[in-house]
Amino acid sequence: MEKADAYKRLTEHGIRPSLQRLAILDYLIKHTNHPNVDEVYQAMCHDIPTLSKTTVYNTLRMFADNHVAQMITIDDHRVCYDGNMNPHVHFYCKNCGKVYDLFDEPAPALKNDFMVDGHLVSEEQLYYKGICKDCLAKDKEKTKQRYS
Amino acid sequence: MEKADAYKRLTEHGIRPSLQRLAILDYLIKHTNHPNVDEVYQAMCHDIPTLSKTTVYNTLRMFADNHVAQMITIDDHRVCYDGNMNPHVHFYCKNCGKVYDLFDEPAPALKNDFMVDGHLVSEEQLYYKGICKDCLAKDKEKTKQRYS
DNA sequence: ATGGGTGCAAAGGATTTGCAACATT
DNA sequence: AATGTTGCAAATCCTTTGCACCCAT
């Protein structure tokens, strides 16, 4: 069924499933490559010609606020999003900027909010940084480079 | 001894200890409140009147690249820095934006680079998000509010 | 004199905001 | 009608870049 998951997730979180919201969340669920705002916009503006980037910005932020999607802020230049809400680790390549999922690594699994030092914790994220598989392979072809 | 730690850390990482670099790293080591670029600049421009924000930007980024300081990208609006290189967890308050250190939480302790799924991992970070102690207290005084 | 370091001004670019048009109940 | 949603254009503001000057070796 088309966009059933997205529809369900929106309504379960008390968010009205407008055309745009449904399409954006559906895209996020079906594309696990951690797209940023522009990538989501570019991919969808063909199907929804009236779509504005503002709506994508606002919608994705709203999704993150309502735990419908994850906002990923590893890259200091741009924010990206992840529709997979199951606990998993992210790997960020300092060379090409891609974000990978690491499902086999021990990830923080937050069931309920909890207290630490008097603070109320409602989200946890663990990420690794380094040089990804592809970039390592490309570098072997060329001469040696140095990484910080 | 003044700025001895900063001096040692710079030279050990092969970075020339210029006046600005020494002062910025010394500030970072002595101020553990995770300042952003502007806060570092504002705090130091009195002592070093010629200091430019560009230098602060470039220097802090260079510190992060060389593992002399940590770049923290939890807040999607601005990057901040941490001079404490010992493993510890960060807590980010979604209400006031402050970043706290959590030393008693189990933190990823990276000794050496390692491989995961073919990727070379050289950094790890774990952080929590929620509402901090202070903001919780302030809210109790007022009427109830909702948090995502 | 030579290379690295600094700083100013300008450019770049991601993200947000104000507000009017629109849809939906 | 009333309320929530969308989208355009403009504004904001963090960050980087180009380039000239300066300092130290």
Side-chain angles (χ1 to χ4, degrees):
Chain A
M1 204 171 169
E2 201 57 271
K3 302 186 185 176
D5 290 350
Y7 185 92
K8 188 180 171 209
R9 200 186 290 185
L10 286 177
T11 52
E12 280 179 354
H13 286 262
I15 299 168
R16 288 196 187 171
S18 73
L19 177 73
Q20 290 83 340
R21 289 170 180 176
L22 214 45
I24 292 172
L25 181 53
D26 182 66
Y27 181 86
L28 220 51
I29 290 174
K30 290 176 179 165
H31 297 80
T32 61
N33 57 323
H34 313 96
N36 59 38
V37 170
D38 194 60
E39 286 165 345
V40 172
Y41 173 75
Q42 295 300 339
M44 308 204 356
C45 61
H46 301 98
D47 299 296
I48 308 177
T50 64
L51 184 66
S52 81
K53 207 178 275 189
T54 301
T55 298
V56 181
Y57 269 107
N58 295 336
T59 302
L60 287 173
R61 173 167 293 275
M62 190 262 283
F63 284 174
D65 289 342
N66 289 79
H67 300 281
V68 162
Q70 281 190 78
M71 177 190 283
I72 300 175
T73 56
I74 309 180
D75 186 340
D76 57 305
H77 284 92
R78 80 204 89 257
V79 168
C80 65
Y81 291 88
D82 189 349
N84 182 356
M85 298 304 280
N86 296 315
H88 60 283
V89 176
H90 288 123
F91 174 84
Y92 172 76
C93 179
K94 294 196 277 190
N95 193 228
C96 67
K98 270 207 284 281
V99 174
Y100 296 79
D101 287 321
L102 301 178
F103 295 113
D104 295 334
E105 291 295 296
L110 182 60
K111 274 98 173 117
N112 300 107
D113 295 4
F114 62 93
M115 304 296 294
V116 173
D117 279 12
H119 312 305
L120 175 64
V121 178
S122 58
E123 289 177 48
E124 295 184 71
Q125 291 216 29
L126 172 62
Y127 60 75
Y128 298 165
K129 281 187 180 180
I131 307 297
C132 78
K133 192 191 293 192
D134 292 355
C135 288
L136 288 174
K138 278 176 198 150
D139 287 337
K140 266 181 195 156
E141 301 167 14
K142 305 176 187 177
T143 43
K144 57 273 173 192
Q145 288 173 238
R146 50 173 154 19
Y147 297 111
S148 53
Chain B
M1 205 171 168
E2 202 56 272
K3 303 186 184 177
D5 290 350
Y7 184 92
K8 188 179 170 210
R9 200 186 292 186
L10 286 178
T11 52
E12 282 179 353
H13 285 262
I15 299 169
R16 288 195 188 172
S18 73
L19 177 72
Q20 290 85 338
R21 290 169 179 177
L22 214 45
I24 292 173
L25 182 53
D26 181 66
Y27 181 86
L28 220 51
I29 289 173
K30 289 176 180 165
H31 297 80
T32 61
N33 56 323
H34 315 95
N36 59 39
V37 169
D38 195 59
E39 287 166 345
V40 172
Y41 173 74
Q42 295 301 338
M44 308 204 357
C45 61
H46 300 100
D47 299 295
I48 308 178
T50 65
L51 184 67
S52 82
K53 206 176 278 190
T54 301
T55 299
V56 180
Y57 269 107
N58 295 336
T59 302
L60 287 174
R61 173 166 293 275
M62 189 263 282
F63 283 176
D65 289 342
N66 289 79
H67 300 280
V68 161
Q70 280 189 79
M71 176 188 286
I72 300 175
T73 57
I74 310 181
D75 187 340
D76 57 305
H77 284 93
R78 79 204 88 258
V79 168
C80 66
Y81 291 88
D82 189 349
N84 182 357
M85 297 304 280
N86 297 316
H88 60 283
V89 177
H90 287 124
F91 174 84
Y92 171 76
C93 179
K94 293 196 278 188
N95 193 228
C96 67
K98 270 206 286 280
V99 175
Y100 295 80
D101 288 320
L102 301 178
F103 295 112
D104 295 335
E105 291 295 295
L110 183 61
K111 273 96 173 121
N112 299 106
D113 295 3
F114 62 94
M115 304 295 294
V116 173
D117 278 12
H119 311 305
L120 175 65
V121 178
S122 58
E123 289 176 49
E124 293 184 71
Q125 290 217 27
L126 172 62
Y127 60 76
Y128 298 165
K129 280 187 181 181
I131 307 296
C132 78
K133 192 191 295 191
D134 292 355
C135 288
L136 287 174
K138 278 175 199 150
D139 288 337
K140 267 183 197 155
E141 300 167 15
K142 306 177 187 176
T143 43
K144 56 274 175 192
Q145 287 174 239
R146 50 175 155 17
Y147 297 112
S148 54

